[in-house]
Amino acid sequence: MIIEWSVKALVIILTLTAGFAYTTLYERKLLARMQVRIGPNRAGPAGLLQPIADAVKLIFKEELIPAKADRFIFILAPIITVIPALIITAVVPWGRSITLFGREIPLYLADVNVGVLYIMAITSISVYGITLAGWSSNNKYATLGGVRATAQMISYELALGFAMIAPVMMASSMRMIDIVEGQKTMWYAVLQPVAFVIYFAASLAEINRAPFDMPEAEQELVAGYHTEYSSMKFATFFMAEYIKMIAIAMIGSSLFLGGYLGPFVDQVPILGPIYLAIKVVAWLFVTIWIRATLPRIRYDRLMQLGWKVLFPVALLNVLVTAIVVVLIG
Amino acid sequence: MLVEYIPLLIIFLLAFFVALVVQGLGAGFGPRRPTERKGQPYESGMVPYGPGTRRISVRYYLVAVLFILFDIEAIFILPWAVVYRDLGVSGLVLMIVFIFILEAAFVYAWKKGALEWE
């Protein structure tokens, strides 16, 4: 059992890390195409080795720690940020069971009955890493970026949390597998369109993506909370950001878009991870498309959108769902 | 029961290990030639002045307090969302009362201008 779990955990972490490397390339290529450029095409065929070249470059760069920085917290902050990103998808099922080497192997790591709660709890932890990174750098841009990121992430976490309650109510379970299996007849994105839209908007703010990329507004804050980070420490923050992007897409696909479900998945269970991957890639495409299309919104408008629009509407959506289900059945 | 959580512990340890390895790669292979100039905080090329960390606007603390209030509300709603079909109308009425009391606080904060951002 322990070996099986370890192998699965390793597969998840390796998939996310490789996924991170190629999401950066995917984003650069897509943005280039949308701006009528070609994008990275020098390293390897069609630029496919670009992420490896980037990683090698970052490894051999000098690592700077500012003289007046709080050294311990400065080193700890990237680690606190990247661990939640790596473990958040542990509860997302990749499919049903497959038979491999004569053994029945379920395609999920942990089937805990508090899946959604686990996701909400782990998402909150990465906020600490960002706050500490901003504060420990002893840099004005980093401090401002850090508090901005914290305020934005905790504000949108409310809307995100209430949007995630809607699928839980539909499935009457917090177990991710029950939620995915509950979408056999109809995706929850169709039954809960309001919750789906709120989840999508709030998740963009939660992972600091455009048009909510205030914490990293280059024109006013240089690079926000990771201004003073260089070399692999910068790469760690970058990795956390992109892995969170993938994680949000995986969770969103499982909660609203039917996760691993698709045609013929009953007969051929190995199709499950493929369907999930297709949905994640499509989700990432929309995320990048939005970055190429929309300008950044002003900070006060951003906070007002979170508190005055998304949060009340998400709460109202939960109440209306409850009333409709209890009274009509 | 608790055995379901062992995989989560395993993946946590593995993620911790990966994070340490990534940090070690940078520290092990990169050059390290610190100078006084390099150790200064980055301020777009200007000579840095004043303390690096200043007092943070009180608005951010207000957001944090409001967040705690409503995040706890979400945690109370989550178990109810799992069993609300069995609880029926009585559970629904109780939850509406609970949400109504909390939303009164939300409306008060809104009217007081706690959500405005200058």
Side-chain angles (χ1 to χ4, degrees):
Chain A
M1 278 308 253
I2 297 277
I3 295 171
E4 190 190 317
W5 286 334
S6 307
V7 170
K8 278 192 222 162
L10 197 65
V11 167
I12 289 181
I13 286 187
L14 287 180
T15 312
L16 285 176
T17 320
F20 144 67
Y22 280 93
T23 309
T24 58
L25 182 69
Y26 184 49
E27 172 163 34
R28 288 171 69 181
K29 278 275 185 194
L30 270 181
L31 282 178
R33 287 293 172 193
M34 286 171 188
Q35 295 160 355
V36 206
R37 293 183 287 122
I38 295 173
N41 66 343
R42 292 289 154 189
L48 278 176
L49 296 179
Q50 185 67 37
I52 296 161
D54 288 340
V56 171
K57 183 194 80 178
L58 280 168
I59 287 173
F60 289 104
K61 286 282 173 186
E62 180 174 6
E63 227 177 63
L64 284 175
I65 300 181
K68 285 189 181 162
D70 190 325
R71 287 184 75 92
F72 178 67
I73 297 178
F74 190 82
I75 293 167
L76 191 67
I79 300 176
I80 298 182
T81 317
V82 80
I83 290 177
L86 283 170
I87 64 175
I88 188 170
T89 51
V91 293
V92 176
W94 289 23
R96 297 204 186 101
S97 304
I98 56 162
T99 316
L100 205 65
F101 310 122
R103 280 187 64 190
E104 177 101 349
I105 296 174
L107 286 175
Y108 45 80
L109 176 64
D111 180 26
V112 291
N113 55 2
V114 290
V116 173
L117 189 63
Y118 170 86
I119 290 168
M120 284 167 76
I122 299 293
T123 337
S124 313
I125 295 177
S126 56
V127 180
Y128 288 100
I130 287 172
T131 319
L132 291 177
W135 182 80
S136 67
S137 301
N138 192 41
N139 176 311
K140 286 159 200 154
Y141 296 123
T143 313
L144 268 178
V147 287
R148 266 193 188 182
T150 311
Q152 171 183 333
M153 284 166 87
I154 62 177
S155 299
Y156 279 78
E157 212 172 288
L158 285 176
L160 193 70
F162 279 101
M164 274 158 70
I165 289 177
V168 171
M169 294 177 79
M170 299 304 289
S172 279
S173 172
M174 280 195 268
R175 199 183 285 266
M176 291 299 279
I177 294 168
D178 291 349
I179 292 176
V180 174
E181 290 293 332
Q183 302 177 62
K184 256 183 181 164
T185 47
M186 188 61 87
W187 288 358
Y188 288 157
V190 179
L191 297 175
Q192 287 283 353
V194 179
F196 178 62
V197 170
I198 291 172
Y199 177 89
F200 192 80
S203 68
L204 284 181
E206 187 70 20
I207 53 180
N208 300 333
R209 292 286 304 183
F212 307 112
D213 55 348
M214 252 356 246
E216 288 151 51
E218 297 89 350
Q219 295 86 345
E220 34 191 290
L221 287 177
V222 190
Y225 58 87
H226 57 58
T227 303
E228 290 289 358
Y229 283 87
S230 50
S231 177
M232 283 313 265
K233 287 195 170 58
F234 164 74
T236 315
F237 278 116
F238 211 61
M239 181 169 156
E241 197 170 305
Y242 277 82
I243 291 180
K244 252 194 278 179
M245 212 166 119
I246 301 171
I248 283 287
M250 274 174 85
I251 295 161
S253 310
S254 298
L255 289 179
F256 293 101
L257 300 181
Y260 56 78
L261 293 178
F264 306 115
V265 82
D266 293 327
Q267 291 84 29
V268 194
I270 195 69
L271 283 174
I274 297 171
Y275 286 132
L276 186 63
I278 291 172
K279 284 167 189 172
V280 167
V281 170
W283 190 294
L284 291 176
F285 177 82
V286 178
T287 313
I288 295 163
W289 184 12
I290 285 176
R291 175 173 169 187
T293 311
L294 294 178
R296 187 180 296 132
I297 71 170
R298 226 168 62 194
Y299 196 69
D300 58 333
R301 299 245 177 104
L302 173 122
M303 295 302 276
Q304 297 205 343
L305 177 70
W307 280 100
K308 292 185 177 175
V309 180
L310 293 184
F311 169 60
V313 172
L315 188 63
L316 206 65
N317 181 53
V318 167
L319 270 184
V320 170
T321 309
I323 291 170
V324 169
V325 170
V326 168
L327 294 187
I328 297 166
Chain B
M1 189 56 207
L2 276 177
V3 90
E4 293 168 350
Y5 292 90
I6 295 175
L8 294 181
L9 184 68
I10 293 174
I11 197 169
F12 171 76
L13 292 176
L14 210 59
F16 191 65
F17 177 71
V18 167
L20 286 186
V21 166
V22 169
Q23 304 300 308
L25 278 178
F29 287 99
R32 186 157 293 201
R33 287 184 287 275
T35 63
E36 202 192 330
R37 281 279 174 83
K38 282 186 193 168
Q40 288 184 343
Y42 176 78
E43 284 190 15
S44 307
M46 307 295 285
V47 178
Y49 69 97
T53 311
R54 301 183 177 211
R55 283 209 285 180
I56 296 163
S57 168
V58 71
R59 300 227 151 252
Y60 290 105
Y61 296 93
L62 195 62
V63 169
V65 171
L66 284 175
F67 162 71
I68 290 174
L69 178 66
F70 294 109
D71 207 36
I72 291 173
E73 179 187 0
I75 296 305
F76 277 124
I77 289 179
L78 210 49
W80 167 79
V82 175
V83 293
Y84 75 111
R85 278 179 222 260
D86 305 327
L87 293 178
V89 177
S90 65
L92 181 65
V93 171
L94 283 175
M95 191 40 83
I96 288 175
V97 171
F98 172 73
I99 290 176
F100 183 77
I101 292 171
L102 266 160
E103 286 330 282
F106 180 68
V107 170
Y108 176 76
W110 188 329
K111 290 272 178 252
K112 273 279 176 188
L115 306 178
E116 305 299 328
W117 203 276
E118 292 111 36

